[in-house]
Amino acid sequence: MYIEDSLYGRFELEPVLVDLIDSDAVQRLKGVHQNGASYLVNPKWKNTRYEHSVGVMCLIRLLGGSLEEQIAGLLHDVSHTAFSHVVDDALQQENEDYHEQIKEQMVMESDLPSILEKYNVNLDDVLEEANWKILEQPAPRLCADRIDYTLRDLYEYGEITKQEVEDFLQSLSLYNGRIHVKDVSAAEWFVDHYYQEVLDFFLHPLNIYSNHMMSELLKASLKKAIITKEDFLMTDDALLRLIENSKEPEILSLRNKLSDSVVVHANDQDYDIEVKKKMRLIDPEVIVGKESLPVSQLSKKVMDMNEKAKERSLKGAKIKISK
């Protein structure tokens, strides 16, 4: 079987990857949007956890990662709930890690263990992300997860070109098992666009509004026992239908506030919603001769971008609902 990824190209896959992609657990991710409820207010924001998961797998493969690490990449988000990190807010999970808390149980109750056993792949090894240096790294280092969601969102939403993506991918290499950038200019390009993703896009007024209102809707639905925490492992649309079928006036009123006709804007003085997101900083490592250095030690431009990103993250976002 071949798979075609919009960013990384065409790959022929081993049978274990084919079976995992076809599994119910991974297929569910086609109905889980990467950026929560934002697709309800802007239909163009439609990237899914499935596309991201397959993308991470392909990027690891492109960089020379083992078959086991490709499997880990494919499955790294498999326990993400409907509406992704919105559930963290609804459940007051400040570390945004509810999907990690439920991952082991969710996987064990899925069709994944039998598939991995069929191909003699150790489930515990695959699920332990600390084993996989390409897939995950502590911030502010690069890793396949951060690279993919940044490039995928910005490319699919028309902010960067395919040529820019290809040029950046050509600048990547592995050093001591971790992803590095070969030159400062490419690292600067990624830092600039990473902050476009996690600040300009994640903190876009429509993103803030949609995810805040969805959180309120989920909290109200939980309180009225319309849904349970177990229902979070539905797809976005299935969970939404379950909520809508309640016919509760308060619930339907909240649901009706999530549409593409809403108008919101940033306003630091007169605002209806204020949020602060987890700080997300990036400082790619660059290969300099025979050593590795964070690009902030080589580029004042990156130092300045990181300082501005800290300030903006600490400030958060305040938005006014106009319509």
Side-chain angles (χ1 to χ4, degrees):
M1 171 181 168
Y2 288 86
I3 195 162
E4 186 84 30
D5 184 82
S6 61
L7 297 181
Y8 311 119
R10 192 168 189 251
F11 300 91
E12 184 175 7
L13 301 182
E14 291 82 355
V16 62
L17 292 176
V18 175
D19 285 358
L20 288 170
I21 288 172
D22 287 342
S23 70
D24 292 340
V26 173
Q27 287 294 307
R28 181 186 72 90
L29 298 179
K30 289 181 175 179
V32 177
H33 288 82
Q34 182 79 7
N35 295 297
S38 63
Y39 76 102
L40 295 172
V41 297
N42 185 341
K44 293 181 180 178
W45 292 344
K46 62 184 188 305
N47 282 350
T48 67
R49 290 279 164 186
Y50 174 83
E51 293 158 340
H52 168 60
S53 297
V54 170
V56 169
M57 176 196 75
C58 292
L59 178 55
I60 292 169
R61 189 183 191 94
L62 190 68
L63 292 169
S66 67
L67 177 60
E68 289 77 12
E69 187 156 10
Q70 293 171 50
I71 293 170
L74 177 65
L75 301 182
H76 82 285
D77 271 355
V78 74
S79 58
H80 252 294
T81 59
F83 300 107
S84 293
H85 288 296
V86 177
V87 167
D88 290 312
D89 186 68
L91 298 179
Q92 298 181 312
Q93 299 288 322
E94 291 185 5
N95 292 327
E96 299 184 3
D97 63 354
Y98 181 69
H99 68 291
E100 295 292 348
Q101 297 174 31
I102 65 172
K103 188 171 187 176
E104 182 176 357
Q105 180 180 354
M106 179 268 172
V107 168
M108 294 308 299
E109 294 175 354
S110 74
D111 48 352
L112 298 174
S114 61
I115 296 172
L116 294 174
E117 182 179 8
K118 174 183 174 182
Y119 292 99
N120 297 312
V121 177
N122 187 286
L123 174 63
D124 292 335
D125 288 347
V126 166
L127 295 184
E128 183 51 66
E129 291 180 5
N131 292 337
W132 313 115
K133 293 183 178 181
I134 303 174
L135 169 59
E136 293 290 355
Q137 286 291 322
R141 289 174 175 166
L142 287 182
C143 64
D145 183 20
R146 292 187 189 98
I147 291 171
D148 183 81
Y149 70 65
T150 301
L151 298 182
R152 189 165 301 278
D153 278 353
L154 295 182
Y155 173 67
E156 294 294 342
Y157 305 149
E159 300 297 330
I160 58 176
T161 67
K162 184 66 177 293
Q163 187 61 55
E164 286 178 300
V165 171
E166 292 175 355
D167 289 345
F168 177 69
L169 294 175
Q170 286 294 318
S171 78
L172 300 179
S173 65
L174 297 184
Y175 183 89
N176 290 334
R178 302 194 306 270
I179 301 175
H180 283 62
V181 185
K182 296 176 185 176
D183 60 84
V184 171
S185 62
E188 290 174 338
W189 180 88
F190 186 79
V191 172
D192 185 29
H193 287 85
Y194 179 80
Y195 290 135
Q196 185 178 348
E197 167 78 352
V198 303
L199 295 176
D200 296 345
F201 179 55
F202 286 3
L203 295 180
H204 189 288
L206 274 177
N207 250 333
I208 296 298
Y209 172 83
S210 61
N211 289 331
H212 173 81
M213 294 308 302
M214 179 56 69
S215 176
E216 294 299 301
L217 178 59
L218 294 180
K219 285 188 281 190
S221 299
L222 283 169
K223 186 176 181 179
K224 289 181 175 291
I226 293 167
I227 60 172
T228 67
K229 287 166 57 171
E230 287 70 30
D231 294 326
F232 289 150
L233 284 177
M234 291 179 159
T235 63
D236 297 347
D237 289 345
L239 182 59
L240 202 55
R241 285 195 298 272
L242 180 61
I243 291 169
E244 291 167 344
N245 288 341
S246 72
K247 307 299 183 183
E248 287 271 359
E250 176 193 349
I251 298 301
L252 294 180
S253 176
L254 284 170
R255 168 62 185 96
N256 290 336
K257 293 178 181 180
L258 282 159
S259 74
D260 58 8
S261 64
V262 68
V263 178
V264 297
H265 61 273
N267 190 324
D268 289 341
Q269 306 304 318
D270 179 20
Y271 54 90
D272 299 302
I273 299 171
E274 178 182 12
V275 300
K276 289 189 177 180
K277 293 288 188 179
K278 180 173 74 174
M279 188 176 293
R280 298 173 185 266
L281 300 179
I282 200 73
D283 197 358
E285 296 171 289
V286 179
I287 300 171
V288 181
K290 293 185 178 181
E291 64 178 331
S292 163
L293 292 172
V295 70
S296 61
Q297 295 185 20
L298 304 167
S299 167
K300 185 177 184 305
K301 181 179 179 181
V302 169
M303 286 181 61
D304 291 343
M305 284 192 285
N306 283 344
E307 284 303 314
K308 290 177 181 177
K310 287 180 186 178
E311 292 174 9
R312 190 167 172 194
S313 292
L314 291 171
K315 180 181 177 182
K318 299 173 181 177
I319 68 166
K320 180 70 177 176
I321 304 169
S322 304
K323 177 184 175 184

